[in-house]
Amino acid sequence: MSRPVRVPDLLVEQLAKGELSPARAADVRRRLEAEPGGMARLAAIAADDAALQARFEVDAGMRRVRAKAAEQAVAEALHRPARARWATLGGVLALAALVLVVWGRGPVDPGLGGVPELVDDGTRAKGIESRLEVFRKEGDVARPLAEGDVVAAGQVVQVAYRSAGRRHGAILSVDGRGVVTLHHPASVRGDTRLAPGGRVLLEHAYELDDAPEHETFLFLASDAPIDVAAVAALVRVDGAAADVGRVVPGAEIHRLRLSKAAP
Amino acid sequence: MSIDVATWYQAHGPMVYRRCRQLLRDEELAEEAMHDVFVQVVRREDRLRDEAPVSLLYRMATNVSLNLIRSKRRRPEDAETDLVHRIACLPDHESEVGARTLLDRLFGREPESTRVIATLHLADGMTLEETAEAVGMSVSGVRKRLRKLKASLVALEEAA
């Protein structure tokens, strides 16, 4: 195959973004200068970038991207056989043992063997907040739930978090009967460390019970270990609106209240 | 060094979009493909490094677009002659349907990276050396992949 005169687009893009070594950049530039309209191609990239950056606003684009990524991740997790799911998530989640007691009927999928080692690279993402996410299984997809969404007994949901560099965390929920459920860590004396990196799905999906009015989730993310017993006790007394920041100073606190449909 | 996906989106989203639009010949599909690329980035962000993002995203955009072309069986609106579109968008008459099926089977058998390699080299006109550098392989490795692809094509044609 004879070598085309036109410089491949990838090389032009790399040149425009300064991704080539000095020698390669000089070679590509020389080839562009020899190509009819070559330098115009290079110049056009900056203008096109500006126009497209105005069209694809970052915040909106990233919301779209993260929502779709979440749907894909949770859908895969919910549809994967239990042991395979653990194996796959293990590398990403790197969570300590999660033997959870939840919502009356308990976890859909009871404990599994093989606890992956907790990984902490010691880095923290700057300017990114931790996040709590809850998804509901709907047929073949997993829909993210938002504040106030209505859920019903028997529905299966999946809890996820994003640590954003916070090293410790606790996730609880309290229902309309005032029953507090601990989702992370496994027990009030358990290891509160969070997995670093991106979205982390808790090991199990859960089936909601028939508690009335609401199921409210709380996620506390902190740089220091959390006194989970104190947090749970406070929530048990004061309910979902408990001022949990009192017992975990400096924590990022996220709440998500889901309304329960009447039976 | 971990990546900041939003920064990548802002800095390189236009390039990803251009690549997808070039292959898909459809602005709406290109926008969908561009976001699909960043969905993949988000899902791999803890494993990606902030090195040579243009090359990585370009290859991801190529891969996502090829998958979309295959899944949507799109037809070109103009006289597209590049290999990628001839593969994915053949007009629907008997001989070409046969060729499309053949190539679909062929590409379905090949690792995705081979499709990307084939597109970079055969459709984009990158040399073997440039292709090898872009995909982080040796020239002999790229040559071997392409030879395997061509051999698979011949084998399928003979079996057809």
Side-chain angles (χ1 to χ4, degrees):
Chain A
M1 182 176 182
S2 62
R3 180 172 171 143
V5 173
R6 182 182 167 86
V7 179
D9 288 333
L10 172 56
L11 297 179
V12 183
E13 296 278 4
Q14 287 180 296
L15 178 64
K17 294 289 164 54
E19 196 171 278
L20 298 174
S21 67
R24 174 53 65 91
D27 175 60
V28 172
R29 187 175 290 277
R30 179 185 53 74
R31 289 164 59 187
L32 280 174
E33 287 169 349
E35 174 189 310
M39 293 307 289
R41 286 174 60 202
L42 180 63
I45 286 179
D48 197 46
D49 276 358
L52 291 172
Q53 281 163 348
R55 175 176 167 185
F56 299 121
E57 195 270 326
V58 177
D59 289 343
M62 287 307 299
R63 279 196 298 275
R64 174 176 172 180
V65 165
R66 292 197 182 282
K68 189 165 184 179
E71 286 185 21
Q72 287 183 2
V74 176
E76 288 174 12
L78 291 179
H79 289 86
R80 200 170 291 136
R83 189 165 295 275
R85 185 175 73 207
W86 174 254
T88 302
L89 293 178
V92 178
L93 307 185
L95 289 176
L98 292 175
V99 181
L100 302 171
V101 180
V102 285
W103 293 317
R105 289 175 61 176
V108 170
D109 176 17
L112 297 165
V115 180
E117 183 182 354
L118 189 67
V119 175
D120 187 345
D121 63 4
T123 60
R124 176 170 176 177
K126 293 177 181 175
I128 302 174
E129 275 214 334
S130 54
R131 192 184 307 168
L132 169 68
E133 295 169 310
V134 181
F135 301 84
R136 175 174 55 200
K137 183 179 178 182
E138 296 179 7
D140 291 336
V141 299
R143 300 286 182 200
L145 294 171
E147 178 74 15
D149 280 354
V150 178
V151 293
Q155 292 181 338
V156 175
V157 299
Q158 171 79 48
V159 179
Y161 70 81
R162 186 179 290 269
S163 67
R166 296 283 187 169
R167 290 179 168 76
H168 293 268
I171 302 177
L172 309 88
S173 64
V174 56
D175 65 21
R177 295 190 180 108
V179 174
V180 175
T181 300
L182 179 61
H183 302 283
H184 177 76
S187 72
V188 293
R189 283 177 293 279
D191 188 342
T192 59
R193 280 182 295 176
L194 298 174
R199 175 175 294 102
V200 174
L201 304 176
L202 297 188
E203 165 59 5
H204 300 285
Y206 307 99
E207 185 173 322
L208 293 166
D209 74 1
D210 61 355
E213 298 178 10
H214 71 96
E215 187 81 41
T216 301
F217 293 84
L218 291 93
F219 173 35
L220 294 84
S222 171
D223 289 328
I226 293 173
D227 183 347
V228 179
V231 173
L234 191 61
V235 173
R236 199 167 289 118
V237 173
D238 293 347
D243 183 11
V244 291
R246 279 195 293 136
V247 292
V248 192
E252 291 175 1
I253 300 167
H254 306 274
R255 287 184 172 82
L256 179 65
R257 178 188 168 97
L258 303 176
S259 297
K260 292 295 285 290
Chain B
M1 182 179 175
S2 60
I3 67 168
D4 181 335
V5 183
T7 299
W8 275 25
Y9 181 95
Q10 182 169 32
H12 305 300
M15 180 274 293
V16 173
Y17 175 78
R18 277 193 293 275
R19 176 57 167 173
C20 295
R21 186 180 57 191
Q22 177 191 31
L23 294 176
L24 293 164
R25 305 276 172 178
D26 182 301
E27 293 202 352
E28 191 175 334
L29 269 183
E31 183 176 336
E32 177 186 341
M34 178 191 79
H35 286 94
D36 283 348
V37 167
F38 283 98
V39 167
Q40 292 189 6
V41 171
V42 163
R43 298 195 63 188
R44 296 164 54 188
E45 64 182 306
D46 56 336
R47 287 169 283 162
L48 295 176
R49 303 177 69 175
D50 197 8
E51 297 172 357
V54 173
S55 177
L56 172 67
L57 291 169
Y58 193 89
R59 284 182 280 119
M60 291 174 73
T62 302
N63 194 44
V64 166
S65 297
L66 288 173
N67 287 339
L68 265 177
I69 290 169
R70 288 198 308 155
S71 65
K72 292 186 183 296
R73 299 284 197 271
R74 297 193 62 255
R75 294 184 179 197
E77 294 177 357
D78 56 15
E80 179 58 59
T81 55
D82 68 80
L83 179 63
V84 175
H85 279 75
R86 282 192 286 119
I87 289 168
C89 308
L90 287 170
D92 190 21
H93 59 75
E94 190 172 340
S95 62
E96 288 171 328
V97 166
R100 182 179 64 187
T101 303
L102 186 68
L103 290 163
D104 283 342
R105 286 163 61 196
L106 166 67
F107 274 36
R109 280 167 41 143
E110 293 295 328
E112 286 189 346
S113 59
T114 302
R115 298 203 305 271
V116 173
I117 289 168
T119 305
L120 294 177
H121 181 59
L122 301 175
D124 296 345
M126 296 180 74
T127 64
L128 286 173
E129 291 77 11
E130 290 165 348
T131 304
E133 184 174 333
V135 300
M137 292 173 62
S138 66
V139 173
S140 61
V142 167
R143 188 180 286 116
K144 185 176 178 181
R145 288 287 191 91
L146 292 172
R147 191 161 52 228
K148 181 182 172 190
L149 183 140
K150 290 172 183 173
S152 297
L153 178 58
V154 170
L156 283 169
E157 284 173 339
E158 288 174 348

